[in-house]
Amino acid sequence: MTDATEIRRAVPSDIAGAARLAAELVRLHHRTDAARFYLPERLEEGYSGWLSRELTKSSTVILIAARNSEIVGYAYGRLEERDYMVLLDRHGAFHDLFVTETARQTGIGRRLARAMLEQLEALGAPRIVLSTMAQNEPAQRLFTSLGFRPTMLEMTRERSG
Ligand SMILES: CC(C)(COP(=O)(O)OP(=O)(O)OC[C@H]1O[C@@H](n2cnc3c(N)ncnc32)[C@H](O)[C@@H]1OP(=O)(O)O)[C@@H](O)C(=O)NCCC(=O)NCCS
């Protein structure tokens, strides 16, 4: 099944499909912890606009996994310059990775992630940094197997009363 799935750079006609998956990723975060991850309005529309603009930048990588003409996976990353606030020198930021539920556990997530690492490194990223929700063990297992190490732990506290 995996063999029929192509991993490639997104083109403008892929953006609406990629935006649907990006919106699903946001909803997953909100379902997991609604207080920490707010739910923006008009998600698909907002992402379509954002990803269309990002697609024109040479420092951005948007990948899709396509099976027949259906988009079953999406990844988004970007080369970032030095950021004093988070003590990060120039790096690749791996922002989003999403595979549709019915296409999971067939190797597509790993192929998308590997392709993203290759492309960000080809752009000159000396290291790649990402965040996953603390509860997201499948993603952490995948990223650990690709050589990522835990480096930061975000903690959130709601106002009492
Ligand atoms: C995380 C995600 C991208 C994995 O995609 P996938 O196509 O199912 O992953 P693969 O089939 O390539 O599996 C790669 C590795 O991920 C891990 N993994 C995937 N699904 C898993 C599960 N249900 N439980 C535990 N580990 C899992 C395993 O380490 C697996 O390697 P293995 O098969 O050698 O054990 C997918 O589950 C997903 O889209 N989840 C929702 C969004 C998300 O969590 N995104 C990542 C954080 S931004």
Side-chain angles (χ1 to χ4, degrees):
M1 195 151 74
T2 316
D3 293 345
T5 304
E6 179 195 13
I7 308 291
R8 58 170 171 78
R9 293 289 284 249
V11 295
S13 59
D14 296 318
I15 290 302
R20 276 195 292 277
L21 302 195
E24 279 310 305
L25 184 58
V26 172
R27 291 192 183 98
L28 169 68
H29 282 78
H30 184 70
R31 278 199 304 276
T32 307
D33 185 341
R36 162 62 182 83
F37 301 103
Y38 88 102
L39 193 61
E41 289 165 6
R42 297 190 299 278
L43 263 178
E44 279 81 357
E45 195 184 320
Y47 255 113
S48 279
W50 171 260
L51 292 175
S52 298
R53 288 190 294 280
E54 285 292 282
L55 195 59
T56 63
K57 297 180 185 164
S58 58
S59 56
T60 292
V61 180
I62 303 174
L63 300 173
I64 58 144
R67 181 185 291 166
N68 302 317
S69 53
E70 188 195 355
I71 295 183
V72 295
Y74 142 86
Y76 164 51
R78 214 164 70 165
L79 198 62
E80 302 286 351
E81 296 307 321
R82 177 176 288 185
D83 183 342
Y84 291 95
M85 292 296 284
V86 287
L87 295 180
L88 258 174
D89 210 338
R90 193 163 193 260
H91 65 284
F94 190 169
H95 288 294
D96 290 356
L97 175 66
F98 191 91
V99 176
T100 54
E101 269 186 52
T102 52
R104 285 184 194 161
Q105 294 191 279
T106 64
I108 295 170
R110 186 182 295 283
R111 290 174 65 202
L112 275 167
R114 279 210 177 110
M116 178 58 71
L117 305 187
E118 278 170 21
Q119 304 253 351
L120 288 173
E121 285 176 3
L123 285 174
R127 72 190 51 77
I128 295 169
V129 179
L130 58 78
S131 301
T132 75
M133 287 188 292
Q135 301 89 337
N136 194 344
E137 286 177 23
Q140 288 160 25
R141 201 178 284 213
L142 167 60
F143 294 131
T144 299
S145 76
L146 290 170
F148 285 84
R149 64 185 189 278
T151 41
M152 282 288 280
L153 175 64
E154 180 187 273
M155 299 176 77
T156 302
R157 177 181 184 274
E158 305 301 324
R159 186 170 61 187
S160 50

